[in-house]
Amino acid sequence: MVQHGAKRVAKSAAIAVSLLALAGIAVGAQAQLGPQPDSGKDGLERLLPDPNLPPAPPSADGPEQRPGAPPRTADKRDLNAAYRALLRPQFTRIPRQAHRREQLLDILYAHLATAQGPKAAKRIAQTIERVWLTSGSPTVSVLMRRAMLAIKGKKHKRAKLFLDRVVKLSPSYPDGWNRRAYVHYQLGDVRAALGDLRRALALDPNHFKALGGLAQILRGMDEKKAALAVYDRLLQVHPYAKGAEQAKRLLEPAVRGQAL
């Protein structure tokens, strides 16, 4: 099962190029939209840290590797054991090293793509989302938690302050770009949201939340053919993604009509 899923992951880079091209079409269609006024960065330090925040999840691997040190390889059996452990709700220890998280995500994506039913898929998807939230940086973790609390309270301008800092401090962290895309969308800046989704998918072509967001935006812009292509990709990654199959069925007749 894992080997079959790994083949899907191996194709992800090429698929990402196609998705970025589709998003590029949408950005061009929205070129007339100017960026929203910046909410400003003043006061960010005043908002951090919050002593009431829950502690960051402990690392399973101890401190980060020294800069320049050769990457430590992970035995597949260890990673599969970590995968099984992560499915237990009480398990909170996620690898802190980026390469270990990527290896673990490969396994999780493989299991998600071949999940036997919606319940199993939901469980695996929730586990993947927990791995996404582990950035490997204590500072970024605090900023992300603050951003999520602000989003929950619908304080999107406040959330943007934190997420601006996240993507600046950790530009290779996909979920930072994805979360900021959501905030841009809520603030009415579709062009900025598309740009952030493109960055998220360039870093992780299997990020099903970013795929879902991109498909939704393209559909709202009446880019039916592009939206259908993204939904197809989303269903390859997450066969039971909420609403994706229904959206695909609704779009297919319209896209076929355009092709005639």
Side-chain angles (χ1 to χ4, degrees), residues 8 15-16 19 22 109 112-114 121 125 128-129 132 178 201 204-219 226-248 251:
R8 293 178 181 270
I15 295 170
L19 292 175
L22 292 173
Y109 283 134
L112 179 61
T114 54
I128 290 171
E129 292 182 49
W132 285 345
N178 175 65
L201 289 168
D204 182 358
N206 296 308
H207 197 298
F208 49 82
K209 289 290 187 180
L211 287 167
L214 177 59
Q216 181 180 348
I217 290 175
L218 291 172
R219 189 179 178 190
L228 180 59
V230 178
Y231 276 122
D232 280 336
R233 172 58 185 160
L234 172 58
L235 288 167
Q236 291 175 15
V237 175
H238 187 344
Y240 299 95
K242 185 177 180 180
E245 188 64 48
Q246 181 181 5
K248 179 183 174 181
L251 285 169

Side-chain angles (χ1 to χ4, degrees), residues 30 33-36 181-193:
Q30 291 290 320
L33 289 176
Q36 294 288 325
Y182 173 79
V183 169
H184 279 311
Y185 184 77
Q186 292 299 316
L187 291 172
D189 194 343
V190 176
R191 185 168 181 261

Side-chain angles (χ1 to χ4, degrees), residues 118-191:
K119 288 186 178 179
K122 181 179 180 180
R123 193 179 179 194
I124 297 167
Q126 289 174 338
T127 302
I128 290 171
E129 292 182 49
R130 290 172 58 205
V131 178
W132 285 345
L133 286 174
T134 304
S135 67
S137 163
T139 301
V140 170
S141 295
V142 171
L143 288 165
M144 286 292 288
R145 293 200 302 278
R146 289 296 290 154
M148 291 170 66
L149 286 172
I151 291 171
K152 186 176 181 180
K154 299 187 184 301
K155 299 176 181 178
H156 297 112
K157 289 184 178 180
R158 180 184 174 109
K160 184 179 177 295
L161 288 175
F162 298 113
L163 293 169
D164 285 345
R165 184 66 65 85
V166 167
V167 299
K168 182 177 181 179
L169 291 175
S170 188
S172 62
Y173 178 44
D175 209 42
W177 295 103
N178 175 65
R179 299 274 177 175
R180 197 175 73 165
Y182 173 79
V183 169
H184 279 311
Y185 184 77
Q186 292 299 316
L187 291 172
D189 194 343
V190 176
R191 185 168 181 261

Side-chain angles (χ1 to χ4, degrees), residues 105-120:
L105 279 173
D106 284 350
I107 292 174
L108 289 164
Y109 283 134
H111 282 281
L112 179 61
T114 54
Q116 302 300 309
K119 288 186 178 179

